[in-house]
Amino acid sequence: MPTDTFHLYSYFCSSCCQRIIIAAHLKGIPLEYTYIDLGTKAHTTDEYKESNPSASVPTLVVTSASGEKIIIRQSMTILDYFEESFPDTSPLLPRGLQERVQVRDLVNIIAIDTQPTTNSRIVQRVEGIRESNEDRDKFVKQAFTDGFQAYESLLVKQGGEGIYSFGDAVSMADVVLVPTVDQALLYRMDLDFVPNLKRIHSTLKELEAFKAADWRNQGDTPEKFRVQDA
């Protein structure tokens, strides 16, 4: 078990925060939470920006037993920190160099090409150009479509035979994929055009770590969005 403490500044529907929660559950890293309400612009306060000048979430504060603190402000850096700190617990990257490169290619199709262009900060700017929801939705859906088609193509080229994005073990590619697909589904996207990606997403959503990170089931999720028990 980790001896450090891990304090996550999070927002319920942030796909980047969702990545961290998934990885923490997979690796057995206990998280303490402070919820930053982006709707009320809590991320833009001077106090919060002192810790995270990007005025974004997540922010992770790691405190050692001696009281030394490390502040990590980018989700992919946090994932790398988790992997390097706890490489033997639910490893998210394969051991072989070639296999790691293949996983990282999948990761970056989502983390670099797709998610940043569909981030709410960017989407709001697109909407604001002509005050058009139609412009916003067209832009976002095209960004998701391009990214998911590239991901699907790579899955096919890599074999596409495994349970998950890369073989039969959950990888970092899965950790970044699911929150972005969840985001696309909020725009009512039909994923039939990427059947392997759709299958993998559905399979991953049945795993406990991914259920725990679902945006509808966070401590700050408004009641109207919460998953209701049957």
Side-chain angles (χ1 to χ4, degrees), residues 114 118 140-148 180 183-184 187 189:
T114 309
T118 60
V140 170
K141 289 181 178 180
Q142 189 61 58
F144 283 129
T145 297
D146 292 346
F148 292 167
T180 299
Q183 187 183 16
Y187 286 90
M189 287 196 65

Side-chain angles (χ1 to χ4, degrees), residues 67-223:
E68 182 181 0
K69 293 183 184 296
I70 300 173
I71 302 177
I72 313 175
R73 304 165 180 88
Q74 293 291 324
S75 65
M76 296 311 301
T77 312
I78 296 170
L79 292 182
D80 285 338
Y81 181 86
F82 283 172
E83 184 67 5
E84 292 173 17
S85 298
F86 308 102
D88 299 322
T89 305
S90 296
L92 299 177
L93 292 171
R95 298 298 185 200
L97 177 59
Q98 181 175 341
E99 290 77 15
R100 288 204 306 275
V101 167
Q102 290 177 287
V103 169
R104 283 183 166 128
D105 263 353
L106 289 166
V107 167
N108 288 328
I109 286 173
I110 301 299
I112 294 177
D113 290 349
T114 309
Q115 190 276 334
T117 56
T118 60
N119 181 279
S120 62
R121 187 178 297 185
I122 301 302
V123 170
Q124 287 167 8
R125 290 173 181 171
V126 171
E127 180 182 354
I129 294 171
R130 298 194 304 183
E131 299 297 329
S132 170
N133 290 346
E134 184 178 349
D135 285 352
R136 176 199 65 197
D137 291 354
K138 183 178 179 180
F139 174 84
V140 170
K141 289 181 178 180
Q142 189 61 58
F144 283 129
T145 297
D146 292 346
F148 292 167
Q149 283 179 331
Y151 200 96
E152 179 80 6
S153 177
L154 208 53
L155 288 174
V156 173
K157 287 181 179 179
Q158 292 181 357
E161 303 293 335
I163 298 173
Y164 306 121
S165 292
F166 193 82
D168 295 333
V170 174
S171 70
M172 196 175 291
D174 300 307
V175 171
V176 301
L177 174 68
V178 164
T180 299
V181 175
D182 285 354
Q183 187 183 16
L185 293 175
L186 288 174
Y187 286 90
R188 298 191 173 119
M189 287 196 65
D190 185 337
L191 299 178
D192 287 346
F193 72 102
V194 281
N196 287 294
L197 182 151
K198 182 178 180 180
R199 169 184 58 81
I200 290 165
H201 174 263
S202 295
T203 302
L204 288 164
K205 291 293 282 187
E206 295 300 315
L207 301 182
E208 289 305 315
F210 292 82
K211 290 180 181 179
D214 191 290
W215 68 273
R216 299 165 296 180
N217 195 34
Q218 300 309 301
D220 60 332
T221 302
E223 193 62 35

